[in-house]
Amino acid sequence: MVYGFMVCRASRKATRNWLSAFNLSRSVHSLPFATVEVEDISGSQPAKVHNLVQGKWMGSSTWNTILDPLNGEPFIKIAEVAETGIQPFVESLSKCPKHGLHNPFKSPERYLLYGDITAKAAHMLSLPKVSNFFTRLIQRVAPKSYQQALGEVQVTQKFLENFSGDQVRFLARSFAVPGNHPGQQSHGFRWPYGPVAIITPFNFPLEIPVLQLMGALYMGNKPILKVDSKVCLVMEQMMRLLHHCGMPVEDVDFINSDGKTMNKLLLEANPQMTLFTGSSRVAEKLAVDLKGRIKLEDAGFDWKVLGPDVNEVDYVAWVCDQDAYACSGQKCSAQSILFMHENWSATSLISKMKDLAERRKLEDLTIGPVLTVTTEAMVDHMNKLLQIPGSKLLFGGKPLENHSIPSIYGAIKPTAIYVPLEEILRANNYELVTREIFGPFQVITEYKKDQLPMVLDALERMHARLTAAVVSNDVLFLQEVIGKTVNGTTYAGLRARTTGAPQNHWFGPAGDPRGAGIGTPEAIKLVWSCHREVIYDFGPLPKLWEIPAST
């Protein structure tokens, strides 16, 4: 008891000292961990992003330049690792054994270490000055409204709160089963993979990499992290915050490179597991290259079905607008297609969605640059859809005006195309209609009361099974649709949505054994650990035991 009190007192003293150091350093610098001032980043004062390997921040002989998505200025310089420079990263991963940096038998004090680091990081992200720093940094590299960017920071902060203290070691909780005779018990343990890799996309530059990185570290792995170059500045600064909160600098490597170089690194370093969040095309290539040692949270052509019971039209219209066009549609959970029961067609739903879409403007970034699809590509896709018999433009469809967004990015008004359900199901149309456009673009269709089987057929044929929404309070209708679909994160009920996942529920696809989750203890254990069974068999032997006959 005295020892426990001393540990607690020492812990409180260390926390007070840490907070004092934070407050003191704030008086000298704007933030104790930051190497950039968000509002100063520009073509004349570009930010620099470095690599971290074997505990050291490093530059590069080659610097890649990122253009400001709002005005085209070269505002970030990235130390990019070439194929000839991957050896230090390969060596760093190879130093981590397959049994990890810690596990239930080895260095269990590191579970406590990461509980402490997480608590400090959660506290720092709760501070308005730090929260605003990351919110504005996200806006600079992946322009979205302040509220959307802040939401990403808040989800990350809540996740860190959730896994503070003892919650890290609770992730490694084991179980025991009685054996066949005295002295025998079987124990199931969650075991790390050891050397692992994490590859994350541009659209959530803080939330996705932090949640996956911390999950990997909690379970005892040594990760190498690669974030899309367009937004890697955000995670570089977060890495520095984690170091400030006590994370050992050798625990994570951080690399900036192109896809070809990263692919070569993965093949040479041969990590035991790779988490990839991004396009389906790249995901399938990596699955082959890495011989299946991979978890995927890939693209989502996400659907929403409006049931026969019509209620709260204003609210449903607002949720549809948020799902389809928040973050300029650049969410893997964005509403890609809306199946509308004929009862909804008789309401003002579409006109209300049009009004809500048209109030979005570039000035407050409620609509903004599309970082992976050009304006021409989106307009071309729209024109192909409009060639389908019965199709029509409901709203949008025109490029944004009066802006300085560079042509390498997209800039289009929130767009909705109506395509008849019968035409969607035609073999020569289906692939075109269900092509994911990672921007402010959706398809809308209508079904009659006897056409639900056609809707379910359309859903069954989709390959991406990430999020979905069934908007209805009709229990039998919900039962029918949910029972015949598979999307991993499915919202049901009048307030159902496809986007806006908080930190308190699983987010990830279903229907694929490679599917990765994020956010919850179940997700962390599934992605970042495997099962190990240890069978203790101490005896004693039965009295008068003799060697039996061969069997």
Side-chain angles (χ1 to χ4, degrees), residues 140-413:
R140 296 291 284 116
V141 298
K144 58 182 85 172
S145 70
Y146 189 89
Q147 195 58 43
Q148 286 287 319
L150 176 62
E152 183 177 344
V153 177
Q154 291 173 332
V155 165
T156 305
Q157 191 271 335
K158 281 294 182 185
F159 169 88
L160 293 171
E161 276 190 357
N162 287 346
F163 290 96
S164 297
D166 283 331
Q167 298 307 314
V168 174
R169 65 169 151 199
F170 288 164
L171 290 169
R173 189 190 303 271
S174 62
F175 64 85
V177 177
N180 294 335
H181 49 256
Q184 186 186 70
Q185 283 186 333
S186 59
H187 289 249
F189 295 96
R190 301 310 303 176
W191 214 256
Y193 290 104
V196 298
I198 304 170
I199 304 172
T200 63
F202 76 92
N203 55 334
F204 287 89
L206 183 72
E207 180 181 339
I208 294 176
V210 169
L211 269 59
Q212 295 292 15
L213 175 67
M214 299 310 289
L217 290 166
Y218 294 159
M219 301 312 295
N221 302 289
K222 161 73 182 271
I224 180 170
L225 173 64
K226 177 187 169 7
V227 179
D228 188 300
S229 295
K230 292 187 287 293
V231 300
C232 59
L233 175 61
V234 176
M235 200 57 202
E236 190 228 37
Q237 295 299 297
M238 186 65 192
M239 290 284 293
R240 295 179 187 275
L241 181 149
L242 291 170
H243 292 157
H244 179 76
C245 292
M247 184 177 80
V249 292
E250 302 87 1
D251 278 11
V252 181
D253 293 332
F254 181 76
I255 187 170
N256 303 294
S257 71
D258 61 20
K260 185 179 178 183
T261 298
M262 189 62 189
N263 194 265
K264 180 179 175 65
L265 189 155
L266 292 174
L267 293 176
E268 292 196 14
N270 198 31
Q272 292 297 107
M273 211 287 289
T274 294
L275 179 281
F276 177 80
T277 305
S279 80
S280 298
R281 179 184 58 81
V282 177
E284 293 300 334
K285 179 187 183 331
L286 286 175
V288 173
D289 290 348
L290 301 177
K291 299 180 174 61
R293 295 191 308 277
I294 192 167
K295 288 288 185 180
L296 304 175
E297 196 265 272
D298 56 357
F301 187 84
D302 304 299
W303 52 264
K304 178 181 288 181
V305 175
L306 304 184
D309 48 324
V310 175
N311 286 292
E312 306 292 350
V313 177
D314 283 343
Y315 181 83
V316 172
W318 173 75
V319 174
C320 285
D321 176 75
Q322 287 292 108
D323 283 348
Y325 305 126
C327 300
S328 300
Q330 296 172 102
K331 295 184 179 183
C332 51
S333 56
Q335 177 179 305
S336 301
I337 187 167
L338 176 66
F339 295 88
M340 181 175 56
H341 190 278
E342 60 182 334
N343 291 350
W344 286 90
S345 303
T347 72
S348 56
L349 177 71
I350 297 298
S351 65
K352 290 180 182 295
M353 288 172 60
K354 179 176 183 291
D355 292 342
L356 290 168
E358 290 177 348
R359 72 177 185 170
R360 294 181 174 273
K361 53 187 184 293
L362 187 59
E363 288 77 11
D364 60 7
L365 294 177
T366 49
I367 192 69
V370 178
L371 301 190
T372 57
V373 190
T374 64
T375 305
E376 292 75 14
M378 287 185 282
V379 171
D380 180 63
H381 182 67
M382 176 187 71
N383 289 333
K384 288 178 180 177
L385 289 175
L386 290 175
Q387 291 173 15
I388 297 174
S391 297
K392 59 184 177 182
L393 176 65
L394 295 175
F395 52 83
K398 296 181 179 180
L400 294 179
E401 301 167 344
N402 303 318
H403 64 80
S404 54
I405 297 170
S407 59
I408 59 172
Y409 301 130
I412 194 171
K413 294 179 179 180

Side-chain angles (χ1 to χ4, degrees), residues 35-50 63-68 73-78 137 140 233 236-237:
T35 59
V36 298
E37 293 286 351
V38 179
E39 307 306 333
D40 293 342
I41 301 172
S42 63
S44 60
Q45 297 186 62
K48 290 187 176 182
V49 182
H50 294 80
W63 291 81
N64 182 25
T65 301
I66 302 297
L67 301 184
D68 188 323
E73 287 187 355
F75 78 140
I76 299 175
K77 292 184 176 180
I78 299 171
L137 199 58
R140 296 291 284 116
L233 175 61
E236 190 228 37
Q237 295 299 297

Side-chain angles (χ1 to χ4, degrees), residues 95-113:
K95 291 178 181 177
C96 177
K98 292 177 182 177
H99 55 261
L101 298 178
H102 63 265
N103 60 52
F105 289 74
K106 170 190 171 182
S107 303
E109 67 276 5
R110 280 176 52 88
Y111 293 114
L112 307 184
L113 170 67

